[in-house]
Amino acid sequence: MQTIDFSKQIMHDSAKEQYRAPSGAVPAGTKVVLRLALRDVFFKKIYLVAVAGGVEENIEMYEENGFWCAEYTTPMEPQAIWYWFCISLDEKTNIYYGARIGSTSGAGDVYWNPPSPFQLTVYDEAFTTPTWMKEAVMYQIFPDRFARSDDATFDKGAAYHRELGREVYVHKKWDEPVVYEALEGREFYEPCDYYGGTLLGIVDSLDYLRDMGVTVLYLNPIVEADSNHRYNTGDYLKVDPMLGTNEDFELLAKEAGYRGIRLMLDGVYSHTGDDSVYFNKYGRYDSVGAYQSKESPYYNWYQFANYPDEYKSWWGFQTLPEVNETEADWIDFVIEGEKSVLATWILRGANGFRLDVADELPDETIEQMRRKLKHLSQDNALLGEVWEDATTKQSYGKNRTYALGRGLDSVMNYPFAQAVTDFLTGKSNAEALKRFFVGQNQNYPKDMYYSLMNLLSSHDVARIRTVLGTKIDAHSLSREQQAHFVVSEEQDKAGAQLQRLAVGIQFSIPGMPCIYYGDETGMHGLLDPFNRAPFVKNDEQMQEYYRKLSRLRRESDALKTGNCVFYAQGEDMLGILRFCIDGKDAFGNLKKDGMYLTLVNRSEQKHQAVIDLFAGEELMPAKAVNALKELEFVRASCILTGEDYSVAEGLVQAELPPKSIKILEIEWI
């Protein structure tokens, strides 16, 4: 039997309001109207299939205004709903309409078997995120490697650790290469090399950060620990003496606040170090640790199989004993107590926490953390390390709920970094990147979407300039090969050119653009520890580029909380439209009107971009199109080059040179 192609006769696009209203993620208990367009298809029955909590529901559809419609009221419990459409052609034959393979939103495809479903995210109706997150420019600092201070802080701290019997290797020069292999006389590599960065060094750099447009600092762990990365906590309540004192942190918070900069700390709560106040395996602390005695106040934190040497540890690393994050004493100490870890650092001046390995913390624990932080101040933020789509993340056999309004405010947007690098290195095309952006817009709760931590580099991935310039998969290289890898002048130039495109995208989409220290100055680096080299200033032009984009974002409501629409033309051209019109932003809040169109051409050839502002693109509401048609456009000016372009009947045309970006400010009267 010949299979009939129905693809041109059936349509549902979850990112267009004529097919799904309201569009995007919705609060619990919302009535959603889902529509399917059919042309010249003869059938006996049509219905919507919705799956919530593993339970399938079939909802008959009715005809209205040229569409087949179904009304679906979302459950009161936040969750991801999955749906598709079933069309019975006769008693024996069904066809289905679902999402395209690899997508969960946008336009779909026709299938002859039950299809890939569309996603409908349902979140807690009370969910909001702090306004400052939606408007922020973030800067991530690895404290030992950012800035020294002209005092004896580090030397005193190094002496303190040595007196405890710890290995401390001090680099004599700031530009020495990082240690990546075992020190002489040692069997294994240990992250025990230090350059001497301090909190006071960051204080001295605050004017630089303010001028860079930074409004929030994310600091990798600053509490006492036996390593340069400090993810093996020794004392949750004490700044590592190498970095300074608790008073130094309070000074940093105060001075940063004067400059309009908030502080976010790294919270490492799924495990501690074995060399800690709480476990005290080596007896270096005066405390009675869990390893030393079952009478220890911390004994119940840990899970021993055969006391004291067999215990549950993080990914099998015996130096990182896991804690039980639902144990009452631990919860009181870290979260709920009047002088808990969270409360203490908020009192000292922190404005929130980034949760290390959030996937390994129970949802109920994350929710407790949220309640505590929001009780202290609604402006406090809770951000999670999540490497995948947080709305559908599964771990330990459970669907995670931390992105559904009762847990995290935001997550690290690693999928963004991957999608952008794939596009710029030729592994995907403009249409795939557009689909990715539309998917995130549709699947994340709006407050979270506009607060996503949009990063291109971090302490856990290779630096963006290196990735784009070399196109090398760092994971394919040994640590020794990475240590001896030299980025050529030609690769650096190519990386810088593509970095400009990546950063332009980063600053043009909703969410918090996050600068990993030194990316703005042209630093290179493969994987840990080579991505954690000391901060140096190399590329003044790149610094100025970051400053310009940060200033533009700071001064434009449209680029912070404005509506967004994405375009793809051919394989190589991406467009991003951001706008506030009629004095309103995407949330309906009063904001200054403005419109910006970012155009990116990744190819080796010039590209003639033509964007129709009046087209009914995905994410563009009909109300917005009608409002745009009422405007009298004057011109579009590129804020990077100063070039002017005409805007006629809603059409914006601009020629893009090879591997270039233009950010057009579109003006009207």
Side-chain angles (χ1 to χ4, degrees):
M1 183 181 75
Q2 185 177 4
T3 300
I4 302 172
D5 181 7
F6 289 99
S7 60
K8 293 181 172 58
Q9 297 164 264
I10 308 174
M11 170 59 73
H12 172 80
D13 188 329
S14 68
K16 291 185 176 181
E17 64 178 0
Q18 63 262 45
Y19 294 102
R20 186 164 115 185
S23 63
V26 297
T30 298
K31 185 175 78 171
V32 181
V33 179
L34 299 159
R35 301 182 180 93
L36 190 67
L38 289 93
R39 185 186 65 191
D40 300 331
V41 178
F42 299 97
F43 58 89
K44 293 184 69 68
K45 185 179 180 182
I46 181 170
Y47 57 92
L48 170 75
V49 182
V51 180
V55 178
E56 185 175 304
E57 180 181 1
N58 295 334
I59 303 171
E60 286 204 38
M61 303 181 72
Y62 57 90
E63 191 174 13
E64 183 178 85
N65 298 327
F67 290 94
W68 285 88
C69 311
E71 295 182 359
Y72 176 75
T73 300
T74 61
M76 295 308 297
E77 187 62 26
Q79 59 191 284
I81 306 298
W82 303 100
Y83 72 90
W84 62 90
F85 302 92
C86 179
I87 304 164
S88 298
L89 302 180
D90 54 42
E91 298 296 337
K92 297 181 180 180
T93 309
N94 292 335
I95 58 173
Y96 304 87
Y97 195 91
R100 291 175 181 168
I101 300 295
S103 297
T104 59
S105 64
D109 278 328
V110 177
Y111 297 81
W112 287 90
N113 294 295
S116 298
F118 292 100
Q119 180 178 338
L120 172 59
T121 304
V122 179
Y123 62 92
D124 191 293
E125 63 179 349
F127 179 58
T128 60
T129 58
T131 299
W132 64 261
M133 295 184 77
K134 304 179 186 75
E135 301 177 349
V137 173
M138 179 180 273
Y139 193 91
Q140 179 185 350
I141 289 177
F142 195 83
D144 178 61
R145 310 290 163 84
F146 185 65
R148 290 169 169 166
S149 52
D150 189 18
D151 60 13
T153 294
F154 174 75
D155 293 334
K156 290 178 182 177
Y160 166 84
H161 282 284
R162 287 190 178 116
E163 287 171 7
L164 288 178
R166 292 168 174 158
E167 182 76 45
V168 177
Y169 177 87
V170 180
H171 290 275
K172 294 180 181 179
K173 295 182 179 179
W174 190 250
D175 60 356
E176 286 182 7
V178 297
V179 171
Y180 70 93
E181 56 187 352
L183 294 171
E184 186 176 350
R186 295 279 179 170
E187 185 178 359
F188 301 108
Y189 163 77
E190 295 178 8
C192 61
D193 62 315
Y194 299 86
Y195 287 85
T198 65
L199 296 184
L200 293 179
I202 300 174
V203 171
D204 293 339
S205 304
L206 286 173
D207 287 344
Y208 166 80
L209 296 169
R210 177 198 58 200
D211 294 344
M212 190 61 62
V214 173
T215 60
V216 56
L217 287 181
Y218 156 43
L219 304 179
N220 287 115
I222 64 170
V223 297
E224 183 176 315
D226 179 22
S227 68
N228 55 39
H229 56 67
R230 300 184 175 88
Y231 282 97
N232 53 338
T233 306
D235 188 336
Y236 280 120
L237 298 174
K238 179 183 176 186
V239 168
D240 193 298
M242 287 188 185
L243 296 177
T245 64
N246 293 341
E247 291 72 27
D248 290 344
F249 175 79
E250 292 176 5
L251 176 65
L252 171 60
K254 183 171 69 172
E255 291 295 328
Y258 290 155
R259 294 164 176 81
I261 299 174
R262 289 176 167 84
L263 298 181
M264 179 171 287
L265 297 182
D266 218 325
V268 187
Y269 302 126
S270 76
H271 54 270
T272 68
D274 62 348
D275 187 3
S276 64
V277 171
Y278 320 104
F279 203 74
N280 208 11
K281 187 172 184 177
Y282 311 105
R284 289 175 174 152
Y285 289 96
D286 291 337
S287 65
V288 178
Y291 183 86
Q292 297 165 307
S293 172
K294 293 183 180 181
E295 301 303 314
S296 167
Y298 312 112
Y299 175 77
N300 289 334
W301 289 18
Y302 303 95
Q303 300 163 73
F304 292 92
N306 187 16
Y307 187 83
D309 290 312
E310 294 181 20
Y311 47 87
K312 189 175 182 181
S313 58
W314 187 77
W315 287 70
F317 292 103
Q318 291 291 291
T319 56
L320 300 174
E322 274 195 31
V323 301
N324 177 1
E325 302 95 343
T326 61
E327 199 277 324
D329 291 339
W330 183 90
I331 289 172
D332 184 69
F333 183 87
V334 173
I335 306 173
E336 297 291 0
E338 185 177 339
K339 297 182 179 180
S340 69
V341 175
L342 299 187
T344 295
W345 287 105
I346 294 297
L347 183 63
R348 289 172 180 168
N351 302 101
F353 295 86
R354 173 264 192 190
L355 294 181
D356 183 56
V357 293
D359 297 338
E360 302 186 27
L361 299 172
D363 282 306
E364 55 267 32
T365 301
I366 293 175
E367 291 174 13
Q368 283 180 289
M369 290 178 173
R370 179 182 183 82
R371 287 194 294 271
K372 179 67 174 183
L373 290 177
K374 300 301 181 181
H375 174 74
L376 294 170
S377 171
Q378 287 294 314
D379 250 2
N380 290 330
L382 190 62
L383 184 150
E385 179 195 10
V386 179
W387 287 67
E388 301 85 8
D389 184 320
T391 64
T392 57
K393 172 68 179 180
Q394 292 183 330
S395 59
Y396 299 97
K398 292 181 62 177
N399 293 321
R400 302 307 303 266
T401 62
Y402 44 47
L404 301 179
R406 295 176 183 171
L408 301 172
D409 284 305
S410 178
V411 293
M412 300 178 76
N413 199 357
Y414 278 108
F416 162 78
Q418 189 65 55
V420 171
T421 54
D422 282 352
F423 170 64
L424 294 178
T425 56
K427 295 178 182 177
S428 71
N429 58 26
E431 181 61 34
L433 185 56
K434 175 194 170 183
R435 285 202 305 269
F436 168 80
F437 284 137
V438 170
Q440 286 207 323
N441 176 284
Q442 290 294 281
N443 293 342
Y444 279 92
K446 183 183 283 189
D447 269 83
M448 178 173 279
Y449 176 66
Y450 276 79
S451 302
L452 288 174
M453 177 181 167
N454 294 329
L455 66 149
L456 292 169
S457 309
S458 81
H459 61 295
D460 283 328
V461 296
R463 286 187 178 271
I464 187 63
R465 190 163 175 146
T466 309
V467 172
L468 296 178
T470 67
K471 297 182 173 62
I472 288 174
D473 178 6
H475 293 90
S476 69
L477 303 178
S478 68
R479 195 171 258 196
E480 185 173 359
Q481 288 173 319
Q482 293 181 58
H484 294 96
F485 185 86
V486 177
V487 178
S488 69
E489 186 175 338
E490 183 180 353
Q491 288 172 326
D492 176 65
K493 184 178 179 181
Q497 186 177 27
L498 290 177
Q499 184 181 359
R500 289 174 64 88
L501 275 59
V503 176
I505 295 171
Q506 181 187 32
F507 275 77
S508 296
I509 66 170
M512 300 184 288
C514 180
I515 307 166
Y516 184 48
Y517 80 97
D519 273 2
E520 82 279 14
T521 65
M523 285 181 64
H524 282 283
L526 293 170
L527 300 176
D528 166 24
F530 310 105
N531 53 7
R532 304 174 182 184
F535 176 76
V536 292
K537 293 183 179 180
N538 291 325
D539 189 338
E540 287 288 340
Q541 288 184 328
M542 189 63 74
Q543 279 182 260
E544 182 52 39
Y545 183 64
Y546 273 85
R547 287 193 195 99
K548 179 174 286 189
L549 293 182
S550 291
R551 284 197 298 268
L552 176 65
R553 188 177 177 88
R554 182 173 63 242
E555 295 166 1
S556 167
D557 289 336
L559 286 172
K560 289 182 286 196
T561 57
N563 296 278
C564 60
V565 179
F566 302 98
Y567 306 86
Q569 292 184 355
E571 293 278 307
D572 303 311
M573 204 290 291
L574 178 80
I576 305 168
L577 180 69
R578 302 294 307 280
F579 61 92
C580 291
I581 52 177
D582 292 336
K584 299 286 182 65
D585 67 3
F587 294 85
N589 296 325
L590 295 176
K591 296 292 180 180
K592 182 181 177 182
D593 282 354
M595 183 179 297
Y596 294 87
L597 177 63
T598 298
L599 300 171
V600 175
N601 174 24
R602 69 156 187 200
S603 76
E604 300 280 358
Q605 290 79 39
K606 64 183 180 181
H607 182 94
Q608 188 69 33
V610 181
I611 301 296
D612 184 356
L613 300 179
F614 299 162
E617 293 283 341
E618 292 177 323
L619 310 183
M620 177 72 87
K623 183 179 179 181
V625 173
N626 293 333
L628 290 176
K629 289 179 178 178
E630 296 297 318
L631 302 178
E632 186 176 341
F633 292 106
V634 177
R635 62 180 171 271
S637 302
C638 181
I639 62 108
L640 301 177
T641 65
E643 299 167 288
D644 284 346
Y645 302 91
S646 63
V647 183
E649 299 298 321
L651 291 179
V652 183
Q653 300 185 57
E655 185 173 277
L656 298 173
K659 294 186 178 180
S660 69
I661 180 171
K662 292 185 184 295
I663 301 178
L664 308 181
E665 182 176 9
I666 300 175
E667 301 175 43
W668 66 85
I669 56 175

